[in-house]
Amino acid sequence: MRDHWWWRPGWVTGRSFYTWHVTFADQPGAQRLVADYAPVLAGLPQLDPVPARWLHLTLQGVGFTDEVDRHDIDLIVGAARKRCAELEPITVTIGPAYVDPETIQMPARPLEPLADLRLAIRAAIGDIWGTDHVPEPKAGFRAHVSLGYSNTAGPMEPVAQALDAHGRHNGEVVVSSVSLIDLNRDHKAYEWTDVATVPLGPREANDPVT
């Protein structure tokens, strides 16, 4: 495995990034998955486990916060509200966990409605910046949730064997909103503050706008 926390291009201490994620802090199914896998992760010091509050599914990046005008962010959020109002909440199964070169991660399925949600967010960005200026490739989306990140270089086999011995676990969540977050990774963890939460489906008259 590779150390996940190497400084990728553009990242430095103190810098943060606007990105759209699905988050799971209020989802019992996701919290149970974290608890199900906690014993095996506790025995693997080469991994940094992800606490339930920081569990996420990455959808679409926007840009570094020092390079994106906040007015543009507000416009993109408004466009996303219109696009996501046309979608329905998604029941998603997460798991079981497997070893990736830098993480332990869990697939999220079915893929198609999650991919449609990502396309809606990409379309919202394109509504403001133009379709030729939407960041990140359109192709290659893999819907997954990471349980832990490798903090050193080493073989994958002991991690894979520990997971196999621990058994397979799945959890069910309902994706009813998507969050624009201000993401930081200074402390060898993905931590964020919420910028906006956009519901899927039509907004009721008494629903708060966040």
Side-chain angles (χ1 to χ4, degrees):
M1 300 185 75
R2 302 185 296 264
D3 183 356
H4 178 78
W5 300 117
W6 64 279
W7 287 103
R8 288 161 170 78
W11 282 98
V12 294
T13 301
R15 205 174 195 200
S16 62
F17 192 81
Y18 288 127
T19 181
W20 290 92
H21 281 189
V22 177
T23 60
F24 302 102
D26 62 345
Q27 292 278 336
Q31 294 168 7
R32 281 193 297 271
L33 268 179
V34 170
D36 287 340
Y37 280 106
V40 65
L41 292 180
L44 296 167
Q46 65 269 52
L47 295 169
D48 294 326
V50 179
R53 67 174 295 195
W54 300 127
L55 212 65
H56 61 275
L57 188 158
T58 302
L59 283 177
Q60 173 65 42
V62 180
F64 286 104
T65 58
D66 57 358
E67 294 182 343
V68 179
D69 188 279
R70 182 54 194 254
H71 179 63
D72 284 2
I73 289 296
D74 293 340
L75 294 174
I76 289 169
V77 169
R81 292 191 189 284
K82 294 177 181 177
R83 295 279 184 173
C84 290
E86 300 174 2
L87 303 177
E88 296 294 332
I90 310 163
T91 299
V92 175
T93 299
I94 304 172
Y98 65 93
V99 183
D100 176 79
E102 294 186 7
T103 67
I104 288 181
Q105 59 184 238
M106 304 175 291
R109 56 195 186 278
L111 175 61
E112 184 176 358
L114 292 169
D116 288 344
L117 174 57
R118 180 173 183 261
L119 289 176
I121 295 299
R122 288 181 61 84
I125 298 171
D127 289 340
I128 307 307
W129 285 349
T131 56
D132 292 337
H133 298 284
V134 178
E136 303 179 354
K138 179 180 177 181
F141 174 59
R142 292 190 307 114
H144 68 278
V145 177
S146 293
L147 270 175
Y149 297 99
S150 174
N151 57 38
T152 188
M156 295 175 65
E157 287 77 10
V159 179
Q161 291 169 2
L163 281 177
D164 287 344
H166 184 70
R168 298 162 64 87
H169 300 274
N170 296 289
E172 188 174 280
V173 298
V174 177
V175 177
S176 58
S177 65
V178 60
S179 297
L180 179 66
I181 62 175
D182 181 336
L183 179 73
N184 178 270
R185 49 161 290 171
D186 284 357
H187 306 113
K188 292 192 173 182
Y190 291 110
E191 303 168 325
W192 61 80
T193 55
D194 291 324
V195 177
T197 300
V198 173
L200 275 58
R203 188 172 69 88
E204 299 295 334
N206 60 348
D207 283 351
V209 175
T210 59

